[in-house]
Amino acid sequence: MLRGLYTAASGMLAQERRVDWLTNNLANAETPGYKADAGAMRAFPELLMSRLEDQPIPTASRRAVPMQTVIGPLVTGVYMQELIPNFRQGDVTETGLATDMAIVDGQVPVDRASGQRGALFFAVETGEGEVRYTRNGHFTISPDGYLTTQEGWYVLDANGERIPLSSERFSVRDDGMIIDENGAAARLGVAFAANPQTLVKEGNGLFRSTTGPLPQAPGNVTYTVKQRFLERSNVDVERTMTDLLAAYRTFEANQKIVQAYDRSLDKAVNEVGRLK
């Protein structure tokens, strides 16, 4: 088989995955708190091809000449290694709804081990009773009187407890303290991930921690909770569209190479080897 066929085919597969995550970013460009994915492309290791069980070739002078053992290097193309969420702060926009909240980052330290800037999240309890984390502060009040996400998952306070609210007549201070008609209800739980790359996306704007429950934001981390505001997604629509077009063009270029190899193989099988 022609070696370049594998390289072109791997390029097509990599660009197909690239199109998938770029279109997913575009589809969530209006989702509050959504963090855009960025793909990491890697090259497969270069291989050195050698012929196995080589035999001497007889020549006209009846002398045996050993075959060349080493054929040459094989470049095996590229692949999509992983998707990495971009945790950059999105724009904050005013909505006027009392149950909408946004975390505005202040002083957030960089993790020395990973070199990654930390990230802050709301903590929520899913239907299975597990704790997950989100930047989507588009909350509501459930029929049983608790602050929940739009999917019905309970928003947790700093102690990991559900937050009871009787109505939308409440206020949220900059430090996350919720004040209802009867006084202080609870302090909104704001979790801190020193290395956000340890978080895994689970859909619906939720992240799962792979290193155990996240702690509350420590004293060296500053933030502001803004009521009646929402954090928008951090998807750069213009750049994403440009990258999407580039991915289509690269896919087409690799496709044409595969078609050229296919025509060469067809000619080799059906024409070159034909006996007259």
Side-chain angles (χ1 to χ4, degrees), residues 12 26 38 41 194:
M12 291 176 63
L26 282 179
M41 306 282 283

Side-chain angles (χ1 to χ4, degrees), residues 7 30 45 55 62 69 105 137 154 161 213:
T7 303
E30 298 299 325
Q55 299 294 328
R62 299 178 182 274
T69 302
D105 297 343
Y154 295 100
E161 302 293 335

Side-chain angles (χ1 to χ4, degrees), residues 21 26 30 56 67 97 118 123 128 131 138 157 189 197 241 245:
W21 62 260
L26 282 179
E30 298 299 325
M67 294 179 62
L97 297 177
E128 293 76 23
V131 178
H138 187 39
D157 63 12
Q197 299 305 332
M241 285 296 298
L245 291 174

